[in-house]
Amino acid sequence: MCAELICLVLDSFEGLLGSGFKGRDIISITDFDREDLQELFERAYRLERFSRSKLDVLKDKVMALAFFEPSTRTRMSFETAMKRLGGSTIGFTSEEATSIAKGETLGDTIRMLDAYSDIIVIRHRLEGAAKYAAEIASVPVINAGDGKQHHPTQAMIDLYTIWRLKGTIDGLVYGVLGDLKYARTTASFTLALGLFKPKVIYLISHPLLRMRESVKEYLRSKGIKFVEVENLDDVIEELDVLYVVRIQKERFPDPSEYEKVKGSYMVTLKTLAKAKKDLIILHPLPRVDEIDRRIDQTPHAAYFKQAAWGVPVRMALLTLIFDVEV
């Protein structure tokens, strides 16, 4: 999208911006409103030029990265964001690397991180772990994914990518494809769309992987139109944005359930032949076999930009939480 259009969009936010992030925990995307997210987008856009340079606005701050589950993009982009802002990081990438392996409780681990750092970023396999950490810690806590429940900063990146490439989030037709039952990214993304005005959201999945009722009820409460369908081909011609996720094998309580649905969908060049020329495809990554690799070379592929923009979005979020000007 051209710089001139971005500037026009930013100008339209003047007078709307508040201070919705200062000192706050980031637990669920629904804790914020669209004005908060517009403020975040504006700052992220201005910070894009610092994604490969350095500012010293957080040079006296320490971030604790408490990753009890594996992560590549989320952990590394948070660490990169903090270091680009002049701050430093401490942390771990598995329970085995902590005293939890010796029997220490999660609560005591959080108390120690609270004493050692100015902000805690936590990923955990248990739902509600981030909220629990926030209740214990005196410093801000950012949820980097808890169970199959929330991944708010990923949703912020998802929306920012749409805003950057489409110039708007309102009025578009969305498709959310794949594991809608267990993937926290699909839940957070769909909840985030409820803060805006999508034309319609198509929830596309195998019957065993349908979106959780709590998410659908939230959409109903916001007056958002959504339709559950099984086949991407039935709606591909209508879509402006297609959000794809892998099937979350590690979150299935019953392995036999996974066997029934594995490999049940794949986005192919043949499918995209019927799509709008300006359709964009998002994916939080990692991916397995749900997107044909040849799509990477098409204008539809936006997932690598989406991953790269994780750095300026998280830089923007940190500066807003710490209330520093950039």
Side-chain angles (χ1 to χ4, degrees):
M1 186 170 63
C2 69
E4 291 81 1
L5 180 53
I6 283 284
C7 289
L8 287 173
V9 174
L10 295 183
D11 288 343
S12 72
F13 293 163
E14 295 296 331
L16 291 177
L17 307 184
S19 184
F21 293 94
K22 181 180 178 180
R24 288 186 64 174
D25 301 313
I26 312 296
I27 306 302
S28 168
I29 193 66
T30 58
D31 293 337
F32 300 90
D33 57 34
R34 62 182 293 152
E35 285 74 28
D36 293 327
L37 296 179
Q38 287 169 342
E39 180 179 17
L40 179 71
F41 298 163
E42 175 182 4
R43 183 161 294 195
Y45 179 69
R46 301 194 190 284
L47 284 170
E48 279 186 28
R49 64 193 177 101
F50 295 105
S51 294
R52 293 187 178 275
S53 59
K54 190 174 181 181
L55 296 168
D56 284 326
V57 295
L58 297 183
K59 61 184 178 181
D60 59 340
K61 302 298 183 183
V62 176
M63 170 189 285
L65 295 160
F67 278 68
F68 296 88
E69 279 191 317
S71 173
T72 301
R73 278 151 296 276
T74 301
R75 181 182 61 81
M76 293 181 70
S77 64
F78 263 117
E79 186 169 4
T80 300
M82 191 63 173
K83 290 181 176 179
R84 294 294 187 197
L85 293 167
S88 56
T89 64
I90 59 173
F92 50 85
T93 57
S94 69
E95 284 191 1
E96 289 73 19
T98 74
S99 290
I100 285 181
K102 304 175 185 178
E104 183 175 69
T105 65
L106 173 61
D108 282 353
T109 300
I110 296 301
R111 289 182 180 93
M112 292 303 96
L113 296 177
D114 189 38
Y116 301 153
S117 66
D118 301 289
I119 191 166
I120 299 170
V121 180
I122 180 171
R123 168 170 288 192
H124 203 283
R125 68 184 185 279
L126 297 179
E127 295 179 20
K131 184 177 180 181
Y132 175 66
E135 290 171 351
I136 293 173
S138 62
V139 301
V141 171
I142 299 178
N143 183 359
D146 62 334
K148 62 180 185 294
Q149 191 168 22
H150 296 294
H151 197 342
T153 64
Q154 180 62 55
M156 291 170 181
I157 295 163
D158 301 337
L159 293 184
Y160 180 74
T161 303
I162 297 165
W163 178 78
R164 278 288 270 113
L165 297 178
K166 292 289 189 180
T168 185
I169 297 167
D170 296 324
L172 301 178
V173 177
Y174 293 87
V176 186
L177 171 67
D179 184 351
L180 310 189
K181 183 176 182 179
Y182 296 113
R184 57 195 171 207
T185 50
T186 57
S188 282
F189 176 68
T190 306
L191 291 170
L193 290 179
L195 303 176
F196 292 83
K197 298 178 181 178
K199 184 175 181 180
V200 61
I201 305 171
Y202 287 106
L203 303 175
I204 312 162
S205 71
H206 188 284
L208 293 177
L209 296 176
R210 285 181 177 157
M211 185 65 79
R212 300 192 295 280
E213 189 59 36
S214 60
V215 178
K216 293 187 286 187
E217 187 55 41
Y218 178 83
L219 293 180
R220 293 186 189 102
S221 73
K222 295 291 184 177
I224 304 295
K225 180 181 178 181
F226 67 90
V227 181
E228 293 182 287
V229 297
E230 293 184 27
N231 298 311
L232 175 60
D233 286 344
D234 294 341
V235 297
I236 187 65
E237 296 178 39
E238 299 180 47
L239 302 183
D240 297 299
V241 178
L242 175 61
Y243 193 94
V244 186
V245 294
R246 67 186 173 91
I247 295 179
Q248 310 276 297
K249 180 181 180 180
E250 68 274 18
R251 305 201 187 283
F252 279 70
D254 182 353
S256 65
E257 185 183 7
Y258 170 75
E259 291 299 320
K260 294 176 184 177
V261 299
K262 71 175 183 178
S264 58
Y265 61 91
M266 182 178 186
V267 183
T268 66
L269 289 174
K270 182 179 179 181
T271 302
L272 295 184
K274 299 183 291 184
K276 294 178 180 179
K277 292 186 182 299
D278 62 348
L279 167 73
I280 61 171
I281 300 175
L282 304 182
H283 194 306
L285 303 175
R287 59 177 172 170
V288 185
D289 57 2
E290 61 276 6
I291 296 180
D292 187 327
R293 292 301 198 271
R294 293 174 293 178
I295 291 173
D296 297 355
Q297 309 305 317
T298 72
H300 299 299
Y303 29 86
F304 295 126
K305 289 181 179 179
Q306 177 187 5
W309 281 329
V311 173
V313 170
R314 289 180 168 123
M315 288 174 70
L317 183 62
L318 292 173
T319 62
L320 287 167
I321 291 173
F322 285 116
D323 194 31
V324 297
E325 292 297 325
V326 293

